[in-house]
Amino acid sequence: MRLAYDPSHYRDNTSLKDMVDTVARLGYEYIELSPRKDFIWFYEYPKVNKQLIKDLKRYCDDAGVKISSVLPVQQWASPVESEREAAVRNWKRCIEITSDLGVDLMNSEFSGDKTRPLESEAAFVKSMEELMPIFEKEGIKLNLQSHPHDFIELNTEAIRMIRALDRDWIKLVYSVPHAFFYDDGIGDVEKHIDEAGDLLAHVLIADTLNHKAAFGLRYIVNPPDANVTVHQHLNPGEGEINFDALYRKLREIKFDGIITNSVFAYSDRPEWSNEVTLKSIKEGLGLDIKQGLNI
């Protein structure tokens, strides 16, 4: 099992070198390279050249940190063709960067437009038809997650789409703070993991409130019919995810993929947040945190 840290708490006003050094100091061997403005940002063409790639590799080597995966988010499922084409172009560059970094795994979201699911699905499949040969040529695997407000929000639908792509190197990211979107407010983490079966390759750890609870008033949005979705990435124990059930199920199936600390809520207190979340993961899964291995 690989234990990774998503350094989104450190993506603003922190250099690449300081970010990598901080991840090592916090106790991680692996870093999930999530979006940041000076490297790969949401929906944009990557702002990376050969020297920056060499620098990042050196920073990681010096700190004793490895990149577990590269995480771009692009509108590759947009029903607007010009947006989809731009996203595919951006994805091609992201794949090239990942290959140059010597990393063999990327993870991302389905994206698209929730209000236009069939058109988004068609756009996604078209994009994948263009990109899958490139992934295969570069020897890079892909893990996908459904996300609130994507054209796929349900866990079962994400699994079906991955199976439809029918590539053994495309697997599932299970994002725990999305659990209440995965089954429309039930949040049955054990059932979700059972549904995923052998596709489960990556679990993102964070907590959230159930947006469907209390007559839908856990979060109050005005006007009430506004087209928005709300979730959080809190420390375990601060929301309503059943972490006892989650950790028990992951131990039961002897999960051997990537576990990522995916808490984003405390950029003003990131080290405290990491202590809380790391303790939860360690106690829940029985991990040797320094080595990231089952004991």
Side-chain angles (χ1 to χ4, degrees):
M1 181 185 294
R2 295 183 179 184
L3 178 62
Y5 185 72
D6 180 336
S8 290
H9 277 151
Y10 298 96
R11 70 187 181 195
D12 297 323
N13 303 315
T14 303
S15 70
L16 270 174
K17 183 180 188 308
D18 287 345
M19 179 191 73
V20 171
D21 289 344
T22 298
V23 171
R25 180 170 52 78
L26 291 176
Y28 295 86
E29 184 180 354
Y30 293 95
I31 181 171
E32 181 175 294
L33 193 58
S34 54
R36 46 182 294 136
K37 270 285 191 181
D38 60 357
F39 208 80
I40 299 172
W41 189 238
F42 294 95
Y43 311 121
E44 294 183 1
Y45 190 79
K47 307 304 190 290
V48 185
N49 61 9
K50 289 184 177 66
Q51 186 59 53
L52 196 56
I53 291 170
K54 289 180 182 177
D55 289 345
L56 179 56
K57 291 173 74 173
R58 186 176 74 254
Y59 301 153
C60 289
D61 287 343
D62 290 347
V65 169
K66 302 171 186 175
I67 300 173
S68 59
S69 58
V70 175
L71 167 56
V73 178
Q74 297 287 340
Q75 266 294 8
W76 54 353
S78 173
V80 178
E81 179 62 11
S82 60
E83 289 183 357
R84 190 202 67 82
E85 289 177 348
V88 169
R89 181 168 58 247
N90 296 351
W91 257 106
K92 290 177 180 178
R93 178 58 178 144
C94 290
I95 294 170
E96 184 178 39
I97 292 165
T98 302
S99 179
D100 289 346
L101 284 170
V103 178
D104 67 354
L105 177 64
M106 302 179 78
N107 61 301
S108 191
E109 303 165 4
F110 285 100
S111 298
D113 187 339
K114 178 182 178 179
T115 67
R116 301 168 67 182
L118 291 180
E119 294 166 278
S120 295
E121 178 183 285
F124 175 74
V125 171
K126 184 177 181 180
S127 295
M128 289 302 295
E129 286 174 344
E130 295 182 47
L131 292 171
M132 284 191 295
I134 303 174
F135 278 106
E136 291 173 339
K137 178 177 179 291
E138 297 296 339
I140 294 174
K141 301 182 292 292
L142 177 66
N143 293 337
L144 292 170
Q145 62 163 301
S146 48
H147 193 282
H149 212 68
D150 281 5
F151 83 94
I152 294 178
E153 287 187 320
L154 300 180
N155 190 57
T156 52
E157 293 300 321
I159 292 164
R160 287 168 182 163
M161 178 55 70
I162 292 171
R163 293 202 189 282
L165 295 172
D166 201 18
R167 298 293 193 279
D168 59 9
W169 49 269
I170 304 179
K171 295 189 181 296
L172 180 75
V173 177
Y174 181 70
S175 183
V176 176
H178 304 163
F180 295 113
F181 285 91
Y182 286 166
D183 55 17
D184 200 28
I186 300 171
D188 189 340
V189 294
E190 292 180 283
K191 182 180 179 182
H192 299 162
I193 291 170
D194 283 336
E195 289 172 340
D198 61 356
L199 288 181
L200 182 64
H202 194 159
V203 178
L204 308 183
I205 299 294
D207 210 343
T208 191
L209 296 174
N210 183 358
H211 64 289
K212 290 283 189 175
F215 310 104
L217 296 177
R218 279 289 190 265
Y219 307 96
I220 298 173
V221 177
N222 292 309
D225 60 350
N227 182 23
V228 299
T229 56
V230 180
H231 74 291
Q232 299 160 303
H233 282 244
L234 305 172
N235 296 325
E238 295 180 344
E240 295 174 289
I241 295 292
N242 186 343
F243 276 93
D244 287 341
L246 173 77
Y247 291 141
R248 182 172 61 248
K249 175 57 71 171
L250 291 173
R251 293 195 309 269
E252 178 184 306
I253 68 171
K254 296 181 172 59
F255 178 70
D256 194 32
I258 300 173
I259 296 283
T260 298
N261 176 345
S262 186
V263 177
F264 307 150
Y266 299 105
S267 57
D268 55 335
R269 292 175 288 165
E271 298 203 12
W272 164 80
S273 173
N274 178 62
E275 288 177 5
V276 173
T277 301
L278 204 52
K279 183 172 186 278
S280 172
I281 296 170
K282 179 178 181 179
E283 293 180 351
L285 293 179
L287 296 179
D288 178 336
I289 292 303
K290 185 173 181 59
Q291 300 300 322
L293 299 174
N294 282 324
I295 58 174

